[in-house]
Each structure stands twice: as structure tokens, then as C-alpha cells.
Amino acid sequence: MGKLAFAIFAIEAAIIAVVVGLTSPSADAGDVIARALDASTDAMAVPVGDYTWVEDGGVGVRMPPAPLTEGAYPRLLASKWVDASRSNALWALGPDGFRALKDKLEADGASLSGSVNFPWRPKGYPVEIVAHRTPMSFTNGRKGMVLDWSASERNFALVVIDSTSEQASRRLDELLREVIQIDRVGRQAIAPLFFQGRYTAVLDGWQREDDRLRKRAQHAWLSLRIFQVPVTDFENAGRLQFELENKLDAAGFKRSAGLKPYIAGVEGFVGEYFGNDGFVQRIAYVRLEGGYLVALMQAPEAMRTALGEEMDAFTRTVQLTGISGPTGPGVLYFNRVAKVRCLAWQDGRRVLWGAFFDDSRQQPAIWRQEGVVWNIQLTKGGQMIREREGEANTSRALNPLVDPEVRALELPEGQVGDFELTLRIGNEQTSTRITIR
């Protein structure tokens, strides 16, 4: 009886294992990509130098951010205190516009003069905005200037205070030259930053949740994760896509369709992927200034149409912000390499190879540098059998564990015995022997 019970239990366990294997992939698609892009960073929280970026307003200004506040308007978004008589501030005015800020300034002792129209086109905005410029003075002799404007259903104002009206006006003009305003970031939209502030996109109805964004639709949720990958990690966007799709395929996610939209003026690729978990993914790949953008959007299979529309809206709105500054990881120069180790092995009638790199302390050396030339020669008894050469832009591109088949050396039929491989990378050279059977 005990053996029978055990046999029944074993059969049930096997059935459960088969069912589980058929009904769910080994990992979530987002986790597969996150593991594959171990040199990447999630692109949500990024430094923007001396700018403050308001993602739920699509506006950026060159001054430090203010502590986040909620409640009644006006809300202080960014400010810079120079000294007792000089300061700058960016305010969100809310639906009542300038009136709420005027009441606050007057409560602080300011007297505001008549406003005049001030036609102005912020950086990144497609049309001219008619803003309003209002001078003000305080009882202690300070002077100031207010500029308020409306864009994409939102109201903002810059307030500059100085010792004289002329200085306040001049400093306001300096600030205005650096203000960035993105179009169509309405009341329910956000504009997150990518690539250290270099790019943004307008996401209508989405909200932030930790390292991803979510949108409620049709009684379910869509989610979006965005990764930025150093440009030196892959030879091109096609190689990035190929490697990620291989890992997705191994985890049970198959591509069913693909499009080639232009993303920020560059041709990209958007693939649609299905697993066995009841969800569908659309993944966008594109090389932009500063690196590769990988955006993964997911929804239940019943929302396949809505998912396609949302991904289309995302790719259409990816754009440069105009914020300058670093665009990705700094260059890790090849000259840190003190020793190259070549590994080679037989794969049928091919020789596959790769290289590891050590520094002067015999520790692993990682490098990222454009245009490092490599050459490999396969010889036997001093006679050249095969030779290949190319360029690499990262140590990862030559790692033996990363796509060695793209570097394969085909063997002539009938060639067996001992061979020598000589590898030159940059100014380093190494060799190894392999026995072909």
C-alpha cells in the first residue's frame, strides 16, 4: 500500500510539473531583460545636472528642486536663494492660474503692477506662448519680476527677486533662455526622463510605481519598464535585439510580429512577444544619442489592441529635451588592460574563441572604448589557415560567454591535429593552442 501511495504521489507530481511547465514561462519577460542587461540601468531616476525636471508637468528649469509638497496651489517646484535680496523660484499655479500666486505674493508684502503680454517660445515647445510679465516691489526696497504662462492645460510662473528692477528683469531673461517645456503633457500625463535627462516621452494616463510605470485600462493594468544600455555594450541595435530575443525565446517568449517605427527620428524596432502566462509584451529597441533604449510594455492578452496603441503613442513622443550634460557611462579606456587571455574550443568544423582581460594586478579589466581593432589568425605549422579581423567597443563584445558563434573560424575539411591561435587586440597580443579532432 505504501509503495502504491508513493507511486500515485509521484505520478501526480509529474503531472503537476508538466502542467506548470506548459502554463507559465520560467520568468517574467521584464526580469529576463533586466538580467540580460546587467550593465544597464533603469532609466527612470536619472541626474539632470543643475536642472530641476518636473515630470508631471513636462517642464525643466535651471535651479535646484524644492522639497515636494502637496495640497493647495501655488506649489513651489524649484528655487534658488542667492542672498537676502536675490532669489529665483518656479511655481505650479494650479487651475486658478496667476490669481493664487498674486494673493501669496501680496501676503508676503509685494505690490504688483500691471501685467503685459510677453510672447515667448520655451525650448522644446512647438509654438509661441503668450506669457504675462508682471513687475513687483516690496516694502523693504526689493524689486521683482513675475512671468506666468499656460501650456498643455497646466499653469506655471517664474518669480525673480533682486535689488533693482533692471537686475530682476535681466536675471529673468537669463532663466527663460534655459526653460524647457514639453508639449501635450496634460493634467493626467507625465514625462519621465531617460539618458541623464537627454530624452523624454509623454505618457498620458500613466503613473509611476517604483522602477516602472503603470496605466489603468479596461479594468486591468498596463506596465512599462525602460532600460538604457551603454552604446559600447553592443555593436549595433540589431545585435542587442538578437541577444535579448534569444534569451526571451529560451525563457518561453516567442515573437509574433514586428514593426520598424521611427523613434526620435531614428529607425527602431518594436516586437510583440507572447509567453504562456496570459500576457503579451511589446518591446522597443533603438539606438539614440548616448546609448540604446529598450522599452518593455506589458498587458493581459485580452488588451493586445490597447497595448499596441499605447506603445505607438510612446514611440511617437520620445524626443530630445534640450538638457545638456552626460549621456551615459564614461569611457573605460582599453589602456587599463595589461594582459589578454584567449580561450578557444572546437565546435564541429568550427573554432570558437573569446578573450578575457586582466589589469596590472591580474584582476578582471572591463573596458568600453570605440574602435578597438582585433585580429585573430589560425595557423598550423606556420601556415595560415584562417584569419579574421574587426573592431570591438567593449570587453563584453569579445567575452567567450557572449555570442562566440559570430566570431567563428571555419575549418577546412580534413584538417586535424594541433593548431595555434594568435590574437591581437589593440596593442596587446596573446596566443593559445588547440587540438582539432
Side-chain angles (χ1 to χ4, degrees), residues 279-360:
F279 287 85
V280 59
Q281 284 78 211
R282 287 217 172 188
I283 305 176
Y285 316 83
V286 65
R287 176 173 175 168
L288 301 176
E289 292 183 22
Y292 299 102
L293 176 71
V294 178
L296 182 147
M297 193 178 291
Q298 183 182 64
E301 287 185 13
M303 296 177 61
R304 179 173 178 264
T305 300
L307 179 70
E309 293 171 350
E310 289 293 335
M311 179 57 87
D312 289 347
F314 169 76
T315 56
R316 284 197 308 270
T317 61
V318 175
Q319 60 194 283
L320 284 162
T321 62
I323 296 176
S324 59
T327 59
V331 176
L332 301 177
Y333 290 103
F334 181 81
N335 62 16
R336 66 180 55 210
V337 174
K339 179 182 179 182
V340 177
R341 292 175 288 135
C342 182
L343 280 74
W345 63 98
Q346 184 177 357
D347 178 58
R349 297 306 301 169
R350 304 185 303 171
V351 173
L352 304 184
W353 64 275
F356 289 120
F357 304 89
D358 298 331
D359 61 18
S360 58

Side-chain angles (χ1 to χ4, degrees), residues 27-43 211-212 224-230 233-234 240 243-245 247-248 251 253 281 283 285 294-296 396:
D28 176 83
D31 295 334
V32 172
I33 290 181
R35 289 199 300 268
L37 302 179
D38 54 359
S40 74
T41 56
D42 283 330
D211 65 344
R212 66 190 68 202
L224 172 64
R225 290 181 70 178
I226 300 169
F227 303 89
Q228 57 187 26
V229 186
D233 274 13
F234 295 90
L240 166 65
E243 185 161 323
L244 291 184
E245 286 191 343
K247 290 179 169 58
L248 288 166
F253 297 94
Q281 284 78 211
I283 305 176
Y285 316 83
V294 178
L296 182 147
R396 184 180 187 277

